[in-house]
Amino acid sequence: MARIIRAVMPEFGACGDGFAINDPEVDWMSRAYSEPRHAYFVLERDGNLIGGGGMAPLAGGDPFVCELRKMYFLPEARGLGAGAAMMTVCLDAARNAGFHQCYLETLSGMDAAMRLYERTGFRRIDHALGATGHGGCDSFYLLDL
């Protein structure tokens, strides 16, 4: 997934400080998501990894709020419904882990992703929540689970 994250984020200008591409966990995803109430799922096609997404408690936030995290897909996975399917899996995992709300941060220009969030029922909020360290993000969403 580190390779995919590092390939996808620069497409949208998200490669400097304040973006998930620089999070230390990118290089040790399996360890980062092995904690309680954390989950990460990957998408394979013909034996090749083409995307993934996860959820975890919102750092510095309410214990009943999770964050949708590191949901990225290579171009060959886009337009196939993979994002919607991954969203369903992640939100089901969040509900099963006892979260009441799901938060996410994104960047203007990730238009297809933003449309997916809104179709899923996320509502735009005007400020960041928690302490994610992603100061480069400029769009924030919240969903009641």
Side-chain angles (χ1 to χ4, degrees), residues 3-135:
R3 179 184 57 81
I4 291 172
I5 291 168
R6 290 185 176 119
V8 171
M9 292 196 74
E11 284 183 58
F12 300 96
C15 50
D17 287 339
F19 293 108
I21 194 170
N22 295 313
D23 289 353
E25 75 182 40
V26 169
D27 289 316
W28 41 272
M29 299 280 280
S30 61
R31 185 173 37 161
Y33 289 88
S34 65
E35 299 292 322
R37 300 179 81 204
H38 291 62
Y40 199 85
F41 306 95
V42 297
L43 177 65
E44 291 183 10
R45 186 177 202 188
D46 300 325
N48 296 309
L49 190 61
I50 58 172
M55 67 88 202
L58 176 62
D62 181 301
F64 293 102
V65 177
C66 70
E67 180 186 12
L68 184 70
R69 298 171 63 174
K70 296 184 177 55
M71 192 163 95
Y72 299 103
F73 299 93
L74 291 175
E76 57 265 32
R78 299 176 199 161
L80 304 174
M86 184 64 70
M87 180 74 72
T88 297
V89 169
C90 289
L91 295 176
D92 284 348
R95 286 182 193 96
N96 290 336
F99 293 106
H100 299 167
Q101 293 182 305
C102 185
Y103 168 76
L104 66 86
E105 300 173 328
T106 192
L107 183 64
S108 296
M110 296 183 124
D111 299 330
M114 293 166 101
R115 284 190 300 274
L116 171 63
Y117 305 146
E118 291 167 7
R119 276 195 319 269
T120 304
F122 280 88
R123 68 184 186 284
R124 217 169 180 166
I125 58 175
D126 61 2
H127 62 283
L129 299 179
T132 66
H134 299 153

